[in-house]
Each structure stands twice: as structure tokens, then as C-alpha cells.
């Protein structure tokens, strides 16, 4: 085993058996294959097999499975061993195992090691370890979380205040109000410290100083207001938020309190703004479905799909799923027919795929296959994926395999999964362990994904 090779194969999940298919092998009763592959350099097999042995109380055997991987000096294997040791209460061994890796300065290792220390009453040591990395948003976030266990909130706050004061304009344009600040999340982290200290007004003021408080679909200011029951302030803020995340937060709070109508109104009021429906249509539709109002949910998505420029694939796909989930697959097909007519009779695969799925729901699998073969994109790899999925869901897995075997190199894990379902485990493993084909130079222009 070689650490670099292990790292490449596991990061890219190429030339190896990926986690989902390891689980599939175990679900289908192929434990001996997973055990054998664990001893042949298949990391995901080794990891899952070690966990399975641990659950059975065979701790020594679990460590033996991981030992060859740990011996390469590869961090993920060392981390897995340390996690087992920690679970068994052998904390000092886990810390000693991880410490040499943490001393290399790798941010992912540092973050893991610091949390390990903090979980076991050594928050001060974790804080000292992370302090030099305060300019890194990832390490700074970890520092703020562990400093609470060390009673060093004020030290963390002072570090963050210094970083905020050191911020400089992002560019020379006098009209640009953006700041170049490291860590980029300094305001949010300092606000988290102040909130933890009970200094809520300061936390709110800090978040209001940011140009935007939304990250990954969540708005930090809205969530803070919600946590402290400042609903009227949240309403005012939601009215000024252009992304809809604050409106979603308000709707979630109202729904939790049993006010489903108020939650719906929160979304609709935001949607009344120009282009507002784009941002909240899906969460609004899901809210309506949860409260038995599927018809209204369909109307919401249909209204968005029918708006100028609204018939995008994700919107149409969501609409078709809503129709199908509520026994209205025929209505979904009628909508797709109308959409195709508006587009001059053309139907790209992004919209044709949902058509096939809807026909399958109605039991028209063979008719769907005929349409797929006649489609201009019917010979592409992504068409083969769609067709194979329909066949497999209809219980025709052998036919799904036949479709994918026409271009086995492109089918990869999907084909292997179906082969496992058929009991052809060795064929599946052979496909998965095949060395990846070097990528051809990307042409300047192409008509087939990936573009």
C-alpha cells in the first residue's frame, strides 16, 4: 500500500470500491467480499469492515484491519484508528496517535485534533494550538467553538476584533465598500462569541455591519433573531433581505409554533417582491405539502414555471415530481406536452428525462423506451443512465445492465451497482478497480455534457 495512491483513489473515488457500493455489498450479504477487499488495499471496504467488527465487539480484529493502512503514514487511516480508540475510552492513545500529524500544520488535521482535545477537557491546549491560524476562516471557526470549553471567550474576541480592525479595502475603487479581511467570517465568529456571553445587542450590531449575512442558504442575523424570539425584528429584516433566507427563517419559526398560515404568508409576502418567487418557491411548496395543501404547492411551482424565463429544468423537474407524488402524472405529461409545443416541438433531454420517469410511473415503461431510442440524444451516456434507472426501478435490472454495458467506461459505479444487485460481484469489482482512462483534451466547443 502507498499513501499517495490511497489518497488519490479515495479522494477521486476512482479505481476503487466507493462507500455507497461497499454498503450495497453488505446489504446484499457479501460480507466475505468486503473482508477480502479490505485486505487488498480497498480503503472504504477496510473502514466499513473495521466498523462492523467493532460493532460486534471484536476490537482487536478491527484494529488489525486498519493496521496496514495506518502503517503507510496516511492521515485518514490514522484518524479512523484514533476514532475507534476514543470510542473505547482510550483517549490518551488517540491523542498520542494524532499529535505528530497535527504538528505538520495541516488545517484539516489541526481542526480534528483540536476538537479531540476539547472534547476531553483540554480546551486550553486546543486554543493555543489554533491561535496562530486565526487568519484562516476554517481554523478560526474551530477556535471559537473550542474556546468556550477553555473559558477563553474574551481572548478569542480580542483576536477577532484585531483582525476586523486590520481589514483593508478590497480594491482601489472609492465606490467599493467591500473589505479584505482575514478570516472572512470574523464578524460572524465575533457575533457568536458575544451571543454566547449573553451580549445579544452587540452580536446583532456586528452582523448588521456585514454586507451580507447569508452563507450556504442560512442567514446568520435571521437565525440569531429567531433564537432570541425577536420575531418582529425578524419580520422587518425579512422584508429587506433580497435572497429570501430571512423569510425562510421566519416561516420556519412560525411553522414550529403551529402557525402554518403565517409561515405561508411570510413566503408569499417575500414572493410579492420583484422576482421574489424564484428564491422561495421550493421551500414554500414543501411547506404546503407538509400541511396537506399539495394542490397549492403545484400551483406555486406551475406559476413559476409559466413565468417569463421560468421553465428551467430544475423548476420543471420539481413540478413534475409534485404532480407524480400526488397521483397526477397525467397532468404532468400534459404540461410537458404544452411546454414542448411552446418550444417549437423540441424537447431537450433535461425535460425529456422527467417525461420518461412519468411514463414509468404510469406503467408505460416499454413505450418510454421506444421514445428514448427515437430521441436525438438517445444514444448519449446520460440517456443510457436515465433509461437504465427506469428499467431497474421496474425490476428489469438485467436489461438495465445491458444498456449500460454498451459504454461500460462511462457507466462505472452505476453499472457496478446493478451487477451487485444481480449477484455478479466479481464483474462489479473488476469494473470499479479498472484504472481510470486519462481524460481527453477538452475541445473548445462541444454539444454534449460536460460542456
Amino acid at each position: 500500500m502507498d499513501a499517495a495512491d490511497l489518497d488519490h483513489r479515495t479522494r477521486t473515488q476512482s479505481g476503487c470500491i466507493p462507500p455507497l457500493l461497499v454498503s450495497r455489498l453488505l446489504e446484499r450479504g457479501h460480507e466475505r467480499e468486503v473482508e477480502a477487499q479490505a485486505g487488498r488495499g480497498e480503503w472504504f471496504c477496510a473502514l466499513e469492515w473495521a466498523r462492523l467488527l467493532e460493532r460486534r465487539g471484536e476490537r482487536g480484529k478491527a484494529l488489525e484491519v486498519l493496521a496496514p493502512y495506518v502503517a503507510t503514514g496516511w492521515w485518514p487511516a490514522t484518524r479512523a484508528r484514533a476514532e475507534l480508540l476514543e470510542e473505547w475510552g482510550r483517549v490518551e492513545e488517540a491523542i498520542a496517535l494524532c499529535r505528530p500529524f497535527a504538528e505538520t500544520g495541516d488545517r484539516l488535521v489541526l481542526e480534528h485534533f483540536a476538537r479531540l482535545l476539547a472534547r476531553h477537557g483540554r480546551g486550553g491546549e486546543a486554543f493555543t494550538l489554533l491561535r496562530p491560524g486565526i487568519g484562516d476562516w476554517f481554523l478560526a471557526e474551530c477556535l471559537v467553538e473550542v474556546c468556550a470549553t477553555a473559558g477563553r471567550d474574551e481572548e478569542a474576541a480580542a483576536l477577532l476584533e484585531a483582525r476586523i480592525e486590520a481589514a483593508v479595502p478590497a480594491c482601489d475603487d472609492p465606490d467599493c465598500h467591500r473589505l479584505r479581511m482575514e478570516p472572512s467570517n470574523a464578524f460572524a465568529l465575533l457575533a457568536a462569541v458575544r451571543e454566547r456571553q449573553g451580549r445579544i445587542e452587540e452580536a446583532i450590531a456586528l452582523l448588521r455591519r456585514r454586507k451580507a449575512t447569508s452563507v450556504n442558504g442560512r442567514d446568520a442575523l435571521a437565525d440569531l433573531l429567531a433564537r432570541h424570539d425577536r420575531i418582529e425584528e425578524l419580520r422587518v429584516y425579512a422584508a429587506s433581505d433580497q435572497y429570501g433566507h430571512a423569510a425562510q427563517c421566519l416561516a420556519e419559526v412560525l411553522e414550529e409554533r403551529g402557525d402554518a398560515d403565517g409561515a405561508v404568508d411570510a413566503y408569499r409576502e417575500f414572493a410579492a417582491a420583484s422576482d421574489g418567487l424564484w428564491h422561495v418557491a421550493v421551500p414554500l411548496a414543501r411547506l404546503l405539502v407538509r400541511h396537506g395543501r399539495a394542490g397549492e404547492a403545484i400551483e406555486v411551482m406551475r406559476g413559476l414555471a409559466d413565468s417569463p424565463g421560468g421553465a428551467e429544468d430544475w423548476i420543471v423537474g420539481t413540478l413534475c415530481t409534485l404532480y407524480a407524488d400526488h397521483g397526477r402524472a397525467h397532468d404532468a405529461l400534459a404540461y410537458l406536452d404544452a411546454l414542448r409545443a411552446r418550444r417549437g416541438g423540441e424537447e431537450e433531454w433535461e425535460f425529456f428525462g422527467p417525461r420518461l420517469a412519468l411514463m414509468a410511473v404510469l406503467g408505460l415503461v416499454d413505450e418510454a423506451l421506444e421514445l428514448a431510442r427515437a430521441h436525438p440524444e438517445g444514444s448519449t451516456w446520460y440517456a443510457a443512465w436515465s433509461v437504465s434507472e427506469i428499467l431497474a426501478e421496474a425490476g428489469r435490472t438485467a436489461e438495465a445492465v445491458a444498456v449500460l454495458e454498451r459504454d461500460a467506461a462511462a457507466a462505472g459505479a452505476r453499472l457496478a451497482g446493478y451487477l451487485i444487485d444481480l449477484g455478479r460481484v466479481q464483474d462489479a469489482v473488476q469494473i470499479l478497480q479498472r484504472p481510470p482512462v486519462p481524460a481527453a483534451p477538452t475541445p473548445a466547443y462541444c454539444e454534449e455534457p460536460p460542456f
Side-chain angles (χ1 to χ4, degrees):
M1 276 177 218
D2 174 76
D5 178 59
L6 283 169
D7 194 62
H8 174 75
R9 286 192 290 126
T10 55
R11 279 191 300 105
T12 61
Q13 293 193 16
S14 61
C16 69
I17 305 174
L20 287 177
L21 292 189
V22 174
S23 298
R24 203 156 175 169
L25 284 166
L26 291 172
E27 289 166 4
R28 303 296 188 272
H30 300 292
E31 285 190 4
R32 297 284 73 83
E33 185 65 30
V34 172
E35 180 184 13
Q37 293 298 334
R40 297 172 186 162
E42 283 288 347
W43 167 244
F44 295 118
C45 286
L47 182 61
E48 197 55 43
W49 186 242
R51 288 171 175 165
L52 185 59
L53 289 170
E54 193 276 334
R55 289 195 292 272
R56 292 175 177 173
E58 300 181 60
R59 294 180 174 181
K61 290 184 178 180
L63 293 180
E64 287 176 12
V65 170
L66 297 177
Y69 298 87
V70 174
T72 66
W74 187 45
W75 163 245
T78 302
R79 173 175 175 164
R81 181 185 176 96
E83 287 172 346
L84 288 179
L85 292 171
E86 184 186 8
E87 285 179 24
W88 301 338
R90 294 160 62 177
V91 176
E92 291 305 319
E93 289 180 64
I95 290 173
L97 192 62
C98 294
R99 189 179 296 280
F101 290 87
E103 290 172 352
T104 67
D106 182 279
R107 67 204 292 256
L108 296 179
V109 181
L110 277 173
E111 185 263 352
H112 175 79
F113 187 57
R115 292 186 190 280
L116 171 62
L117 292 170
R119 281 196 298 273
H120 298 283
R122 297 167 69 167
E125 185 180 347
F127 183 90
T128 301
L129 183 71
L130 292 169
R131 181 171 179 155
I134 189 65
D136 182 313
W137 71 268
F138 181 70
L139 295 179
E141 185 175 279
C142 183
L143 180 144
V144 165
E145 291 181 24
V146 305
C147 73
T149 65
R152 300 175 73 168
D153 274 348
E154 272 308 316
E155 287 183 64
L159 290 172
L160 292 166
E161 286 173 340
R163 305 301 297 192
I164 291 172
E165 291 172 5
V168 297
C171 61
D172 296 330
D173 185 346
D175 294 326
C176 177
H177 301 294
R178 293 179 58 248
L179 295 175
R180 184 181 293 113
M181 182 170 53
E182 298 175 353
S184 57
N185 54 350
F187 278 119
L189 293 179
L190 182 54
V193 173
R194 294 309 184 206
E195 181 186 9
R196 195 159 60 211
Q197 294 175 318
R199 296 158 65 172
I200 309 304
E201 297 301 332
E202 291 181 50
I204 291 173
L206 282 163
L207 290 176
R208 290 193 185 280
R209 288 176 63 186
R210 294 184 60 189
K211 287 296 178 184
T213 59
S214 290
V215 177
N216 295 330
R218 299 303 306 183
D219 187 288
L221 177 54
D223 289 340
L224 173 60
L225 293 171
R227 281 195 297 273
H228 295 279
D229 200 29
R230 300 173 71 147
I231 304 305
E232 290 311 310
E233 291 176 70
L234 178 55
R235 287 185 189 278
V236 173
Y237 179 54
S240 65
D241 171 39
Q242 60 180 315
Y243 302 110
H245 299 150
Q248 181 174 346
C249 179
L250 174 60
E252 290 168 352
V253 172
L254 294 172
E255 184 183 12
E256 287 172 4
R257 295 181 175 186
D259 186 5
D261 289 335
V264 170
D265 289 342
Y267 282 127
R268 291 196 184 280
E269 288 169 11
F270 177 84
S274 176
D275 295 329
L277 185 58
W278 285 85
H279 300 286
V280 298
V282 171
L284 171 56
R286 289 172 178 164
L287 168 64
L288 289 166
V289 168
R290 283 196 298 273
H291 292 276
R293 298 161 65 174
E296 292 178 64
I298 289 171
E299 289 178 12
V300 167
M301 295 308 302
R302 180 68 183 261
L304 180 56
D306 288 340
S307 65
E312 293 190 9
D313 54 354
W314 68 272
I315 297 172
V316 173
T318 303
L319 173 61
C320 289
T321 299
L322 278 172
Y323 272 128
D325 287 348
H326 295 89
R328 297 176 59 182
H330 284 293
D331 290 337
L333 286 173
Y335 174 79
L336 291 176
D337 289 341
L339 179 61
R340 181 172 58 189
R342 293 204 304 268
R343 291 172 171 248
E346 295 184 1
E347 191 170 43
E348 299 89 342
W349 196 269
E350 290 85 348
F351 302 97
F352 188 75
R355 178 182 293 278
L356 296 183
L358 290 164
M359 293 179 71
V361 167
L362 294 170
L364 304 173
V365 175
D366 290 319
E367 292 85 342
L369 297 178
E370 285 296 323
L371 283 179
R373 282 191 282 269
H375 193 278
E377 298 172 70
S379 61
T380 61
W381 61 266
Y382 50 86
W385 284 22
S386 297
V387 169
S388 68
E389 186 174 356
I390 288 170
L391 286 166
E393 289 180 356
R396 297 161 61 173
T397 308
E399 292 178 65
V401 166
V403 168
L404 293 174
E405 283 182 329
R406 295 168 195 160
D407 188 3
R414 184 177 295 258
L415 172 58
Y418 293 146
L419 288 170
I420 290 171
D421 292 343
L422 292 174
R424 294 170 56 184
V425 174
Q426 294 307 315
D427 291 338
V429 170
Q430 185 178 7
I431 287 172
L432 293 167
Q433 293 179 337
R434 185 180 298 153
V437 178
T442 303
Y445 172 81
C446 62
E447 296 180 342
E448 185 175 321
F451 297 108

